[in-house]
Amino acid sequence: MMINSGDVAFVIISSMLVFFMTPGLGLFYAGMVRRKNVINTLMSVVFCCGLATVMWFAFGYSLSFGEDVGGLGIIGNLSNAFFNGVSATDPGAYVTTIPGALFAIFQLMFCIITPAILVGSLSGRMKFSALFIFVAIWLLLVYYPLAHMVWGLGGFIAGLGAVDFAGGNVIHISSGISGLVACIILGSRKGFGIKDYHPHNIPMFFIGGAILWVGWFAFNGGSALGANGLAVQAVGNTMIASAAAMLSWMLIETVLYKKVTVMGAMTGAIIGLVAITPGSGYVPFGAALVIGALVSPICFFFITKVKQKFGYDDALDAFGCHGIGGIWGGIATGLFAQSSINPVAQWNGLFFGDTKLFVAQIMAVCISVIYSAVMTAIIMLVLKKVMTIRVSPEEESLGLDISEHSESAYPAFSGIDQ
């Protein structure tokens, strides 16, 4: 096993771009909220960069990718705590051409953005101190075990034969399902279902979405862990699926509303990126077109119909976009994957003549959904018992920028927000 300088450079750059996605997500989310909650929204995303990094270095990487405990495939041990035995010059157990430490750093970027996605469901009413504690416990009890089950050596879900190239289960399903459960337990925003909530800054939303879109090439392409043909496959699939999903969403808006919107087009692109994530290194280019084209009507239905029907306040649609998009992506991988593209997939997908991978993908999705939902419910219910997790109605009306942070994004603004 020899270190390849080209692969090292590729993964370092990919890590930087994926890290930049989290501040981009902050702008994406902040553009959608009211002016009085912009600072809180940015802070709720960016603090994950600090907290997740320190936890990952101390014990998160070891619990996720360390030696399996008890042969159960659920969690790793602490043998790599504080990056013990993680070399900056030699490959580790998971890579052959880049240093083990670089693999750990690249995986850290996924760990950072996952809880940042989740917090979008809780926007506008959760105390920041409670959110901080929730994210720390959630990483420990949800993210690390799922990462180990899906990607760790001896992981339970990996042992089923299921595949997840860049985080459909670990990132999107976990954050989306957890966001749904957490927002239900937390309760709706004041006036939800009675009055409309309008985005305060669509250009900010657009800039954040553009940053996410660019970063996603590194998100998926970098998961090849080398500058090689598999990275090219993942990048090509990423572009095709996002473009197809954007056009599909625009078509839906045209048919239903006779107009297309910037928010709709960018939302379509993002959910296309979500849907292709688990299969980006497994499916052919043509399948990416189908996966992207179909994810938009699926997510559109959940965001506009299911959410309204059941009345849950998934404020920034983390569940509708990431949860549902991730579920579809995982299933679609079982339909379209080809082991000739990536031999990590032991079998071809259902449309290429085999049922085993499809069944494994369904099982993996179900396990991820149930595990994330149950653990998040336990965390939220315990926190609700031992501390105040929600701001007061007066603080919510004032806005969390002032009540939680004593800052204002627009200090000159004195009008009534929509």
Side-chain angles (χ1 to χ4, degrees), residues 258-291:
K258 311 305 178 188
K259 293 180 180 179
V260 296
T261 64
V262 169
M263 286 199 72
M266 185 57 74
T267 297
I270 296 299
I271 61 175
L273 295 165
V274 170
I276 198 59
T277 292
S280 55
Y282 295 104
V283 305
F285 294 135
L289 189 73
V290 177
I291 292 170

Side-chain angles (χ1 to χ4, degrees), residues 150-358:
V150 173
W151 290 328
L153 293 177
F156 176 71
I157 293 177
L160 299 174
V163 295
D164 182 0
F165 191 71
N169 293 290
V170 181
I171 298 170
H172 298 298
I173 293 178
S174 72
S175 61
I177 296 298
S178 295
L180 173 65
V181 173
C183 81
I184 292 172
I185 295 173
L186 181 63
S188 301
R189 289 167 291 177
K190 183 180 179 182
F192 177 75
I194 300 173
K195 57 186 177 183
D196 293 328
Y197 293 85
H198 299 287
H200 93 283
N201 193 326
I202 292 176
M204 180 185 289
F205 163 88
F206 177 84
I207 292 169
I211 293 171
L212 287 171
W213 202 344
V214 171
W216 227 294
F217 294 114
F219 193 97
N220 290 346
S223 293
L225 301 174
N228 51 41
L230 187 57
V232 175
Q233 186 75 34
V235 168
N237 282 334
T238 300
M239 187 67 236
I240 293 166
S242 58
M246 170 184 273
L247 293 178
S248 180
W249 193 288
M250 292 168 64
L251 176 62
I252 293 170
E253 288 190 326
T254 301
V255 171
L256 295 180
Y257 311 127
K258 311 305 178 188
K259 293 180 180 179
V260 296
T261 64
V262 169
M263 286 199 72
M266 185 57 74
T267 297
I270 296 299
I271 61 175
L273 295 165
V274 170
I276 198 59
T277 292
S280 55
Y282 295 104
V283 305
F285 294 135
L289 189 73
V290 177
I291 292 170
L294 293 181
V295 72
S296 286
I298 295 170
C299 289
F300 185 90
F301 175 73
F302 273 84
I303 291 170
T304 61
K305 300 299 181 183
V306 176
K307 179 179 175 180
Q308 183 181 30
K309 173 69 175 178
F310 291 97
Y312 55 84
D313 188 9
D314 177 17
L316 304 180
D317 293 312
F319 168 69
C321 292
H322 294 270
I324 298 302
I327 290 170
W328 162 240
I331 295 171
T333 302
L335 295 174
F336 298 108
Q338 290 183 302
S339 56
S340 60
I341 293 174
N342 188 343
V344 173
Q346 301 175 44
W347 313 286
N348 287 329
L350 186 64
F351 288 166
F352 294 99
D354 208 332
T355 61
K356 293 178 181 178
L357 181 61
F358 180 72

Side-chain angles (χ1 to χ4, degrees), residues 102-175:
L102 181 53
F103 172 78
I105 291 167
F106 180 71
Q107 289 296 331
L108 163 63
M109 304 311 158
F110 290 177
C111 179
I112 289 172
I113 200 170
T114 306
I117 294 169
L118 188 166
V119 301
S121 294
L122 311 174
S123 177
R125 71 268 202 202
M126 190 167 185
K127 290 184 71 69
F128 182 75
S129 57
L131 183 66
F132 189 97
I133 295 170
F134 168 76
V135 167
I137 300 173
W138 187 88
L139 286 171
L140 182 63
L141 298 184
V142 179
Y143 186 85
Y144 303 154
L146 262 182
H148 185 77
M149 285 190 271
V150 173
W151 290 328
L153 293 177
F156 176 71
I157 293 177
L160 299 174
V163 295
D164 182 0
F165 191 71
N169 293 290
V170 181
I171 298 170
H172 298 298
I173 293 178
S174 72
S175 61

